[in-house]
Amino acid sequence: METGEITFVNLAYNDICGSLAYNRKFAFYLDEDLLFTATAVSGFSGAAVNDLVFYYDGKRMYLKDGYPSIAHLSYLDERYYARAEASEKRKPAWERFIRYLDENNLLTDRDSDVPADSETLPDVLVPPDEYELSATITHEGEGTWTSIVFIWKDIVSFNPETREIVLDRGILANLYEFAPIRLDIFREGNLLLSATVVASDNPQTVNDLVFLIDTKKQDGFYRPDEFKYYLPDGYPALENLESGREEARRTREENAQKRATGWDAFVRYFTEAGKIAK
């Protein structure tokens, strides 16, 4: 109870690890009443959350009032007061939560017994056969930050010919909200590709790999369900450049050659995963 650690019975960690991606929410109910939600964060997250978090450190899971630890904040830090305010708002629901655990003998005053060499939880709480593909999102505007995301479930298929990526409703489908950003894609911890995120309604000229979001708007509003996503060697297409077309072509070909090994490994992942579009 004092540490905030939470453990589960009759629920394998693999059953929940798919929800431990960047900014996912866990909803806690008692009967049919929503008590509170907690944002998933990890010890390697670059994000800051000033409300309840579902924190995981590779071995154990915790419910904490915010991330990073409040021990790193001073009393003059506005985040300190934001967390205190959020905690006060959910106090009735939290007390009800604790009372339920107490009445059912589910409270403890010690951490769970997890040996140092235990493989109960993978280091990132994702099954190795599914955590082969991950990414970091780096916001490069004012207030730079980086977060890691798990993308093995987000990508439905990839077409090497058209370069189209078909996405499920995951963090990658929402990247248009975070621009300007860079997307670095890893397989088993090895960097494969780096791409600049470009939205078609806010174009920029890039002569290297881009994660292109073909946005759709109607009556001034985005229609994310109709977005399409691509990984072209540059943006805009060479034929749409008004000047410097030949220089851009050479630069794009040189950059494509430099990342050929990573690109081949990227395509191989989708081939092995059975996610190549036909």
Side-chain angles (χ1 to χ4, degrees):
M1 178 175 173
E2 292 182 359
T3 65
E5 183 186 3
I6 183 169
T7 58
F8 299 93
V9 178
N10 297 326
L11 180 64
Y13 288 108
N14 289 358
D15 294 334
I16 63 173
C17 63
S19 298
L20 294 177
Y22 166 74
N23 213 32
R24 294 283 174 85
K25 299 282 189 181
F26 283 82
F28 287 78
Y29 288 83
L30 184 55
D31 297 324
E32 296 183 355
D33 298 331
L34 175 63
L35 296 180
F36 43 76
T37 62
T39 302
V41 296
S42 72
F44 48 81
S45 174
V49 181
N50 296 317
D51 205 339
L52 191 68
V53 296
F54 187 100
Y55 170 78
Y56 49 104
D57 65 1
K59 293 294 183 183
R60 299 182 175 94
M61 303 182 193
Y62 302 86
L63 287 174
K64 294 182 176 292
D65 282 333
Y67 178 86
S69 172
I70 201 168
H72 300 299
L73 306 180
S74 72
Y75 289 103
L76 299 178
D77 194 313
E78 62 182 14
R79 291 173 294 178
Y80 182 93
Y81 295 100
R83 295 183 188 188
E85 182 179 351
S87 177
E88 186 65 26
K89 286 181 179 179
R90 68 170 176 274
K91 185 176 180 180
W94 183 261
E95 290 178 345
R96 186 180 173 191
F97 175 67
I98 295 299
R99 186 165 57 250
Y100 170 83
L101 296 179
D102 188 29
E103 292 172 351
N104 289 274
N105 297 316
L106 296 174
L107 292 181
T108 181
D109 58 0
R110 63 181 180 85
D111 279 338
S112 59
D113 185 15
V114 180
D117 60 350
S118 172
E119 295 183 358
T120 301
L121 293 179
D123 286 344
V124 291
L125 288 179
V126 179
D129 60 332
E130 294 180 312
Y131 177 66
E132 290 182 338
L133 209 64
S134 64
T136 57
I137 297 171
T138 302
H139 182 270
E140 298 178 319
E142 183 177 352
T144 299
W145 51 262
T146 298
S147 290
I148 188 171
V149 294
F150 310 138
I151 60 176
W152 53 270
K153 288 184 66 177
D154 291 349
I155 301 177
V156 177
S157 66
F158 176 63
N159 188 323
E161 300 297 325
T162 65
R163 301 289 189 92
E164 182 179 3
I165 297 178
V166 178
L167 299 176
D168 198 352
R169 296 294 296 272
I171 185 64
L172 292 183
N174 297 323
L175 290 184
Y176 70 96
E177 299 177 351
F178 300 106
I181 56 176
R182 187 183 74 249
L183 181 69
D184 296 313
I185 300 175
F186 299 80
R187 181 173 186 182
E188 296 178 342
N190 297 313
L191 178 64
L192 300 183
L193 302 171
S194 294
T196 299
V197 178
V198 176
S200 60
D201 67 333
N202 186 23
Q204 55 186 298
T205 300
V206 181
N207 291 319
D208 207 339
L209 190 68
V210 300
F211 183 90
L212 174 61
I213 306 173
D214 186 5
T215 57
K216 304 292 182 183
K217 275 187 175 181
Q218 182 172 317
D219 300 326
F221 294 95
Y222 282 116
R223 300 176 64 86
D225 290 342
E226 298 180 13
F227 287 1
K228 289 183 179 294
Y229 307 87
Y230 300 88
L231 275 176
D233 287 328
Y235 187 83
L238 290 173
E239 58 268 24
N240 294 332
L241 287 177
E242 297 180 359
S243 62
R245 184 178 301 175
E246 186 58 28
E247 181 180 354
R249 181 190 63 78
R250 288 196 301 269
T251 302
R252 294 181 187 190
E253 289 178 353
E254 291 173 359
N255 288 331
Q257 185 59 39
K258 291 177 182 178
R259 65 171 176 273
T261 300
W263 182 263
D264 290 343
F266 180 73
V267 174
R268 187 163 58 249
Y269 167 80
F270 291 102
T271 301
E272 294 171 357
K275 292 188 176 185
I276 293 292
K278 299 179 180 179

